[in-house]
Amino acid sequence: MEFIFKILRENPEIGTLFIATTFTAIGFIFKTLIDTFLESRKYKKELKKIYWTERINAAKKASEYYYDHQELLGLMIHKIDIVLRQDGPGTLPETIQNTIEIISQRTVNPNSFEHHHIHMFYDFDTEELDELNTKSFNIIQELQKIEILESDTTESINIKLNEGRNLLTNLKSNHQEQKKIYKSYLSMINEDLAEFIK
């Protein structure tokens, strides 16, 4: 140890170099640690940003799809309602078929499958919704079977119209239930997004 002090006294420039090198090394180590910590935080922020961007996009696509689906189903219900109000021979099967084709074209579009990404972020219970969709599909099939012909008697026409109106009432009820479920999904998403923004 005395040897080091003797060299430092005789050559002060070596002491200065030693002190400068030591503090430079310590500074470099601290800077590296701080940079590593900041990069780690920056990476976590970027990852969180990407995650929430994907989550918001999935919510947006699901919302657009469900809204579009509900509006098309509502349009079909409205068209069926108009045909059933005619109280006579009409184009009920054609009206239903045309609307089903429009719905099919929109749901077969590859972009329409993107609404399923929402399930990566949210655990929606779709069992009730699936049951309502099945019931609605069955009602639509029953409505398609109703064909009012010009050769039908007044009594036969009235029976068919009443059957159609009853089925339409059930279809409207299913449609309202579906809307409530979709609104509850959107409410969950909105609450989640509100938490993120805080």
Side-chain angles (χ1 to χ4, degrees):
M1 190 81 147
E2 267 183 53
F3 175 71
I4 295 174
F5 286 126
K6 183 180 176 186
I7 292 175
L8 290 176
R9 264 187 256 135
E10 291 174 5
N11 299 317
E13 60 274 351
I14 293 177
T16 306
L17 179 64
F18 176 72
I19 292 171
T21 306
T22 303
F23 281 111
T24 302
I26 292 171
F28 179 75
I29 291 170
F30 277 125
K31 182 185 180 313
T32 303
L33 290 174
I34 290 170
D35 286 347
T36 303
F37 175 73
L38 292 176
E39 280 297 317
S40 171
R41 289 189 70 196
K42 183 179 176 184
Y43 174 75
K44 286 179 183 178
K45 279 185 177 182
E46 284 295 318
L47 196 58
K48 189 174 181 181
K49 179 182 174 186
I50 291 168
Y51 172 78
W52 277 99
T53 301
E54 286 299 316
R55 198 168 180 158
I56 290 169
N57 284 337
K60 184 178 113 179
K61 289 173 185 173
S63 173
E64 289 170 353
Y65 173 81
Y66 291 140
Y67 179 78
D68 200 33
H69 178 74
Q70 286 301 302
E71 290 304 309
L72 287 170
L73 190 57
L75 175 66
M76 179 169 46
I77 289 170
H78 181 68
K79 285 181 175 182
I80 292 169
D81 200 15
I82 289 172
V83 171
L84 288 175
R85 287 184 193 175
Q86 292 175 355
D87 289 336
T91 58
L92 186 59
E94 291 86 12
T95 299
I96 295 171
Q97 190 58 43
N98 289 341
T99 310
I100 288 173
E101 286 174 15
I102 291 170
I103 292 171
S104 295
Q105 287 172 2
R106 289 205 180 168
T107 56
V108 170
N109 177 354
N111 290 337
S112 71
F113 295 116
E114 292 178 2
H115 75 279
H116 291 294
H117 294 151
I118 195 73
H119 297 288
M120 290 173 27
F121 303 105
Y122 298 95
D123 188 24
F124 294 139
D125 181 16
T126 58
E127 191 172 314
E128 184 180 2
L129 194 57
D130 292 340
E131 287 176 21
L132 287 170
N133 283 333
T134 301
K135 285 179 185 176
S136 294
F137 179 73
N138 291 338
I139 291 169
I140 291 169
Q141 283 185 324
E142 290 300 314
L143 280 166
Q144 276 188 301
K145 292 177 186 175
I146 298 174
E147 190 169 0
I148 301 171
L149 305 172
E150 290 186 29
S151 60
D152 286 343
T153 64
T154 305
E155 184 182 336
S156 175
I157 290 173
N158 286 335
I159 290 171
K160 289 179 180 179
L161 285 173
N162 286 335
E163 181 186 355
R165 289 180 185 124
N166 289 336
L167 289 169
L168 183 61
T169 300
N170 292 337
L171 188 60
K172 285 180 180 179
S173 174
N174 283 353
H175 185 243
Q176 290 305 317
E177 285 298 313
Q178 285 176 328
K179 278 186 173 182
K180 285 180 189 175
I181 292 170
Y182 289 141
K183 283 183 181 180
S184 73
Y185 290 170
L186 291 176
S187 177
M188 288 170 57
I189 292 168
N190 287 336
E191 288 173 14
D192 193 35
L193 293 176
E195 284 296 316
F196 170 69
I197 292 172
K198 286 182 182 178

